[in-house]
Amino acid sequence: FSSFQAPDHNHGLCKVSCTIKNEEQIASIVSINDIHCSAHLIPHFGPIAPHEWSSTNVLDECPSFFVNLYLDRHSFVTLH
């Protein structure tokens, strides 16, 4: 995923997007020692979420997400 983009002016959540190069999604293997906490991602969509999205495919189908920094106090302090 991309780095955080500027917070949205409506709700203050930062947006991240899948990184694509040469029509392929860029991915990395991250060491368990580099993971600090989980993240709550909210799919970014228009007025209606696509019916074909499900919990098993939304990470592959949705091109961008908002990171919910209001999930808990730790997330808010760490990400804000």
Side-chain angles (χ1 to χ4, degrees):
F1 285 94
S2 65
S3 299
F4 284 169
Q5 297 172 11
D8 184 272
H9 67 277
N10 290 317
H11 44 64
L13 299 180
C14 295
K15 190 167 139 183
V16 294
S17 302
C18 296
T19 304
I20 307 290
K21 185 175 181 180
N22 297 327
E23 299 182 21
E24 291 187 15
Q25 187 173 345
I26 304 299
S28 299
I29 297 174
V30 178
S31 168
I32 192 78
N33 295 329
D34 293 332
I35 298 174
H36 299 280
C37 64
S38 61
H40 181 219
L41 300 177
I42 302 168
H44 179 223
F45 52 87
I48 300 172
H51 294 286
E52 60 273 7
W53 287 1
S54 69
S55 60
T56 58
N57 70 7
V58 70
L59 288 173
D60 296 320
E61 299 294 328
C62 183
S64 60
F65 298 85
F66 289 107
V67 179
N68 183 5
L69 56 109
Y70 301 110
L71 182 62
D72 57 40
R73 183 179 182 280
H74 182 265
S75 297
F76 181 79
V77 171
T78 303
L79 299 173
H80 198 274

